[in-house]
Amino acid sequence: MIEAAGFEEPVRDTALRIFKIIGEAEGKIHGVPLDDVHFHEVGAVDSIVDIVGASILIHQMGIEAIHSSPVPVGMGKIRIDHGIYPVPAPATLEILKGVPLEASDVRFELTTPTGAAIVSVLAQQYGPIPSIKVTAVGYGAGTKTFADRPNVLRVIVGE
């Protein structure tokens, strides 16, 4: 679908790289080659929109480098197609190999395979906010409500 959509090459390539890392993680967990992976929840429209939308935005804004804080994954257990698993889910954890994680006392899945793939493909560095001149700030809100904290992703653009 992405190849047939007619996106500009950088958008297409970024979106395909993100989907590939998800497919490779799912394949490894299920013991099947990438070409035989069934994308479960990742095939859902919201994941496609998130991945393609992030790819379009990064390209249109001319973003040259992406730095991320360590990734908060939450804690506890979740129900997935294969039963009850600890957070992070198996695919999420596979995708996040090599990515610094942030400890959290939130008993909920804070990072999905889609979010994990986006950050693992796009981020070149992890750590605190670098010294920058802030030029824009954006927020994306999740649907889960927490009693003591907002459920948002904050993006800071700067030079």
Side-chain angles (χ1 to χ4, degrees), residues 1-158:
M1 286 185 339
I2 293 170
E3 288 176 343
F7 295 120
E8 292 183 45
E9 186 177 340
V11 171
R12 182 196 68 222
D13 292 350
T14 299
L16 290 175
R17 283 185 12 240
I18 295 168
F19 269 107
K20 183 178 181 189
I21 198 170
I22 296 169
E24 289 171 344
E26 291 283 351
K28 182 170 184 181
I29 289 165
H30 293 98
V32 298
L34 179 61
D35 290 340
D36 294 340
V37 169
H38 174 65
F39 277 99
H40 301 290
E41 306 93 46
V42 166
V45 171
D46 61 335
S47 293
I48 295 169
V49 169
D50 288 346
I51 291 168
V52 172
S55 301
I56 291 169
L57 185 62
I58 296 301
H59 174 65
Q60 286 184 347
M61 290 184 70
I63 301 297
E64 296 175 9
I66 296 178
H67 301 253
S68 174
S69 63
V71 177
V73 293
M75 63 181 288
K77 297 185 183 338
I78 58 168
R79 180 174 298 279
I80 60 175
D81 289 347
H82 307 289
I84 297 175
Y85 273 78
V87 169
T92 304
L93 193 55
E94 182 66 30
I95 292 165
L96 291 173
K97 280 184 177 175
V99 172
L101 305 182
E102 179 180 295
S104 172
D105 61 353
V106 176
R107 289 195 153 292
F108 190 77
E109 177 185 43
L110 297 179
T111 303
T112 64
T114 300
I118 291 170
V119 73
S120 70
V121 166
L122 296 179
Q124 290 96 11
Q125 281 188 285
Y126 297 90
I129 297 172
S131 296
I132 60 171
K133 179 175 131 190
V134 176
T135 58
V137 180
Y139 295 89
T143 57
K144 173 74 174 168
T145 300
F146 298 110
D148 60 346
R149 68 194 78 211
N151 181 14
V152 297
L153 170 70
R154 179 175 64 180
V155 175
I156 302 169
V157 179

